[in-house]
Amino acid sequence: MSLPEPLRPGQWPDGHVDEQTFAAYLAELPVSKVWRQKQAARRRAFVARWPRLEDWLAEPLPVRVGSLPGQRADRLTDRISFEGRLYVIHLSLQHGLRLDWPYLTAAATLRVPRNVGGSLAAGIECLVADSVQLGYTRRSSEHAFWPLVGRLLLAAGHADPARLGEADLTAYAQALTEFAKREDVAAFYGPAEAFTVRARILRSHLHRLATVLYHRGQLAEPPSMAKPTYAQRHVGPPAMEKILVCYLETRALDARPSTLEKVELGLRRFMAFLAQHAPQVTDWEHVTRQDALAFATYLDTATGFRSGHPLRAGQPGNPLAIMTKRAMLSAVSVFTSDVASWGWPGGPTRPLLGAGDLPKVPRRVPRYIPDHELDRLMAAVTSLPDSYQRAALLIARWSGARRDEIRRLELDCLDAYPDGTPRLRIPAGKTRRERQVPIHPDAADAIRAVQVDRGAERGFRDDLSGTVVRRLFVRKGRPCSASYLFDASLETACVAAGLVDAARQPTITAHRFRHTVGTQLAESGARLHTIMQVLGHTSPGMSMVYAQISDPQVLADYQSVLTPGATIAGPAAEALRGGRLGPEAVDWLTTNFLKTELELGHCLRLPAEGPCECDLYLSCAKFVTTPRYADRLRRRHRMQQTLIDDARTRGWEREVQRHQATAARIQALLTELGEPLHENHDFDGQVCL
């Protein structure tokens, strides 16, 4: 059915179309003659009741809606208005009448007939087909799009779904918010919670439509999920809000969106605290250090919020974790320091918190997954029915990549080395560096399975690079969340593998795969640079953690010194053999033994004793060494002999005596260790970095 031209100004002075025009529209519908006659009669009654269309538009909302919940068919609020809906729809879709959102929202049973045919029906069917292509079912897409798109077009005053854009969807979302504030909501929807449930469903449908429109190119940016009620941000006094907004815009120039989100969360929670505990403070200039410290004390007893079902949103949950409290206080510290240094008028005049005010975080040893648990877990992972979840966990297992790095993998992330070994390209993430690492064939096969399953969706803008990239893990037109890829899948796998605690919670997290890869590399003798490259570390110290906890020589050397009957030499040897070290000293040595290593042994001098300035292997009472250092001692002894010969040639008798004393002391240490003086082979231990 071809659509007539929209009304031109003055074409229909009263806003109505004549009977012949409406009859021509009805004639093209696949309906009976009796039904056409009935609709024509309803139009005549509507025009007779409201000769000017603007009179109907000015009627109270219940009159325009015509039928309210619970009313009998013979006792409607306004039968003429209710039965004239098809005529009103005709005026909107074919003659440019833009219906208002209060009417479209209140008229819960208003529907654009599916038998309208023409480009309107074809346009909606095209949206349904695109939704199915993204992974949604046809039935759910038809159920969502026919009433939803119909209302959007009635508000826009045209019948072309291809012209819908961001403004149309935003207007509907805002209309739902505004309608919920009306005092007469129950008159149109019955029980108070009925509209809440309907609005939640409509927002879900809006998000699906926005996803489809984005991949069709009708929206510039992909839609974001609406935040739950408990995540709504506190808005502070105008003076404080202005400074905060300017600060966030400035930080957005170099900070990742996730970082900016945490900063804003901390600062807005601080403003909410001030509004409750210091309402007299209305600008940043008058916020004191005492206010900031009081906020820190408040966070010690504050709780988070439970996520999950929207009707339970906002209920208090568990106490805040140390890292959460530290992030919020850090946001206040950095904000006040930055703005004070920038000299912004109305901003904080000095930093309110320092590093010493932040909660101290214990430094934990990385927790790798033991082999017996890893085998059971991976058997369960390979049995996961979802190819996306299975691939994500296999990538985590064999690459050691972070969760966000895996979630942001690009569709073409997999290639191969010249010898055919699969190679994974990991996108720039926490350290802002892209890297390539070898990947196990099992993980490579899982990636290829996902690649085959993917359609031709539009790409997404990367937070770091700013470029639009096609991601690997995209389902139903949206990037998969970390919760879906890792949390839900690991819960299923851990339950299947029996790796749960007493509360039936998984004992394995996705990050432990990363620790496992680092530990296995270190135990296999991988170079420090290799561990750094695979895990994406920017400093050797980050990777040294795995070398320290995994080096079997560290354990052997520790046992050779601190276990009964060990072969040791040096001034501290007698104290160790005789058990004359106190409990505190033994505890310190047990914790920090690796840090005591020197070139020729270990210095057991405790921190409380202050620095040692002597030549340790000669005279320090805290020096101890083991047979592991015998080759180094022999090398040093040979060096001393060379120095003795050189000093004699030059006639430096005092230097000869000094080097002879050093050589004698080294020889004595070797004798105590039961090691020969002239055995000639290289030291096979690791050099302390």
Side-chain angles (χ1 to χ4, degrees), residues 172-231:
Y172 195 2
Q174 183 63 30
L176 294 174
T177 301
E178 294 300 324
F179 194 83
K181 301 176 183 178
R182 295 177 63 102
E183 296 181 355
D184 58 351
V185 172
F188 302 101
Y189 284 91
E193 64 274 10
F195 180 73
T196 301
V197 173
R198 178 174 176 80
R200 186 170 67 251
I201 295 173
L202 288 173
R203 290 185 189 280
S204 174
H205 293 170
L206 273 172
H207 189 275
R208 180 187 299 197
L209 177 60
T211 300
V212 173
L213 294 182
Y214 170 74
H215 290 288
R216 285 164 56 105
Q218 291 179 232
L219 298 185
E221 298 292 336
S224 57
M225 291 297 291
K227 296 184 182 299
T229 54
Y230 67 82

Side-chain angles (χ1 to χ4, degrees), residues 600-613:
L600 303 180
H602 289 262
C603 177
L604 305 188
R605 190 177 185 86
L606 303 179
E609 299 178 79
C612 183
E613 300 176 356

Side-chain angles (χ1 to χ4, degrees), residues 324-381:
T324 301
K325 293 187 288 186
R326 185 179 176 88
M328 291 185 176
L329 294 176
S330 179
V332 175
S333 174
V334 175
F335 165 74
T336 55
S337 177
D338 285 346
V339 176
S341 65
W342 297 339
W344 284 4
T349 57
R350 64 186 183 281
L352 299 182
L353 295 174
D357 298 313
L358 304 182
K360 301 300 183 289
V361 180
R363 301 187 66 178
R364 302 179 62 185
V365 172
R367 296 182 60 205
Y368 66 93
I369 306 174
D371 290 343
H372 67 282
E373 293 186 0
L374 186 61
D375 292 340
R376 291 157 52 194
L377 178 63
M378 296 314 298
V381 167

Side-chain angles (χ1 to χ4, degrees), residues 17 19 41 103 114 143 179 208 323 330 464 591 595 620:
V17 297
E19 189 168 349
Y103 170 72
R114 293 198 180 191
H143 176 74
F179 194 83
R208 180 187 299 197
M323 292 303 296
S330 179
L464 291 179
T591 307
K595 301 176 183 178
C620 179

Side-chain angles (χ1 to χ4, degrees), residues 643-644 647-648 651-661:
L643 294 174
I644 291 171
R648 282 176 176 164
W652 296 342
E653 190 59 32
R654 292 290 299 274
E655 285 297 295
V656 171
Q657 296 175 2
R658 185 168 70 85
H659 293 309
Q660 286 177 335

Side-chain angles (χ1 to χ4, degrees), residues 23 90 106 141 233 258 290 326-327 346 372 412 418 437 474 554 565 639 648:
H90 170 71
S141 298
R233 305 303 196 215
S258 57
Q290 286 67 32
R326 185 179 176 88
H372 67 282
D412 60 349
V437 300
V474 175
V554 172
M639 182 185 297
R648 282 176 176 164

Side-chain angles (χ1 to χ4, degrees), residues 233-236 241 244 264-272:
R233 305 303 196 215
H234 171 82
V235 178
E241 189 71 20
L244 174 58
E264 182 178 6
L265 177 64
L267 292 175
R268 291 201 179 279
R269 187 145 190 178
F270 182 41
M271 289 196 302

Side-chain angles (χ1 to χ4, degrees), residues 35-53:
W35 190 87
R36 292 192 187 98
Q37 292 174 344
K38 183 182 296 185
Q39 293 302 321
R42 289 174 174 178
R43 175 211 164 268
R44 287 192 295 270
F46 189 95
V47 174
R49 172 80 176 275
W50 294 286
R52 296 189 312 160
L53 189 60

